[in-house]
Every structure is written in structure tokens, then in C-alpha cells.
Amino acid sequence: MERTFVMVKPDGFKRGLVGEIISRFERKGLVLAEGKVMTVSRELAERHYSEHREKPFFGELVDFITSGPVFAMVWEGPDAVKNARSIIGKTNPADAAPGTIRGDFGLVVDYNVVHGSDSPESAEREIGLFFGNN
Ligand code: CMP
């Protein structure tokens, strides 16, 4: 059984979308293994997004993700990473299909509502960062 890391970002949390987002993953058949409200520290944000360190948007990304509460989750199921990414939709909400979370609730790439791991390796790394390795 595969695991993936999903986080409702500060924009989604502030807009009251946590329940809607959990419901979409549950309807698909994935199983919620962990979930918590938290505020991301700058250190955790920089480690989580370390692959984007050299990108021009890195500073704003860290400012945004640390700006308010998020809801961090671990979801389990067959092909959990791919299935979660298909529920979430493309990174830029303008390209994300209607019916996906970003397609239905997002407008711009900076505030795209939710994060999902992009590979099983990233998922295990991100779960370790947010929940420890147990
Ligand atoms: P996420 O899946 O959390 O991973 C990296 C995030 O960087 C991405 O979602 C976007 O919210 C954010 N981001 C901001 N600007 C850009 C950009 N120009 N291209 C890609 N991602 C961006």
C-alpha cells in the first residue's frame, strides 16, 4: 500500500475548504492515516520546498506557506501518489481541469489551495518532515 503527503495550504484553510478536500479523497477511496492543523515554521517550509530554492518564487512561496494554519495529511491506498495528484489537478489552477480541487477552487499558481507529493520518494520524505518516520 502506498502513502502520500497532502497539505491544505493557508488559502484553502482560510476559505474553509478542509472538509470539502478530505471528502474528495475519501470518495475516491483513499484512506486518511494522519491529519493535523499546524503552522509551518520557516525552517520546515525551506526544507519541504528545498527543490525550489533557486526559483524566483521561492521567497514568496515560503512567506505564503508560513502565513497561517495549514492542514497536513497522510493518505494511503493503491497508487496513492498518482491518485491524489489526479484529484488535486495541475499545479496552475488555470490549467487544472474542472472537477479537480485546483480546477474548482483555484485561480492562480501562487495560491493553488493544496499541495500533493509528486513521487513516492517525495511522499516519504515529506511525511518524515511533517509527521516523523513512524
Ligand atoms: P506545490 O505543489 O505546493 O509545489 C511548489 C509550489 O510553488 C506550487 O505548488 C505553487 O503553489 C508554487 N509556485 C509559485 N509560483 C510558481 C511557478 N511559477 N511555477 C510553479 N510553481 C509555483
Side-chain angles (χ1 to χ4, degrees):
M1 208 52 87
E2 195 169 271
R3 304 194 296 172
T4 192
F5 175 71
V6 176
M7 170 171 56
V8 181
K9 297 186 184 187
D11 56 333
F13 189 95
K14 205 177 294 173
R15 289 167 62 195
L17 295 175
V18 171
E20 167 75 32
I21 289 167
I22 288 175
S23 168
R24 289 180 177 220
F25 285 92
E26 286 189 325
R27 272 183 351 218
K28 177 78 170 171
L30 292 169
V31 174
L32 183 61
E34 306 252 22
K36 63 179 173 187
V37 178
M38 61 184 286
T39 301
V40 178
S41 68
R42 291 195 76 83
E43 191 206 344
L44 176 57
E46 287 174 6
R47 290 177 72 188
H48 172 66
Y49 281 130
S50 57
E51 69 182 285
H52 298 296
R53 198 173 287 277
E54 306 305 324
K55 306 261 175 67
F57 57 83
F58 183 70
E60 281 171 24
L61 179 58
V62 170
D63 286 346
F64 168 59
I65 213 71
T66 57
S67 68
V70 302
F71 194 72
M73 293 166 277
V74 178
W75 287 91
E76 284 179 352
D79 266 328
V81 170
K82 265 179 93 174
N83 276 309
R85 285 176 75 78
S86 78
I87 296 166
I88 291 169
K90 293 202 173 152
T91 303
N92 187 341
D95 299 326
T100 65
I101 293 168
R102 288 169 175 161
D104 288 349
F105 299 114
L107 279 174
V108 292
V109 72
D110 317 70
Y111 309 114
N112 62 359
V113 188
V114 66
H115 166 85
S117 305
D118 63 6
S119 68
E121 296 72 33
S122 304
E124 289 306 315
R125 187 182 78 83
E126 293 170 358
I127 291 167
L129 283 174
F130 282 80
F131 289 98
N133 283 312
N134 301 321

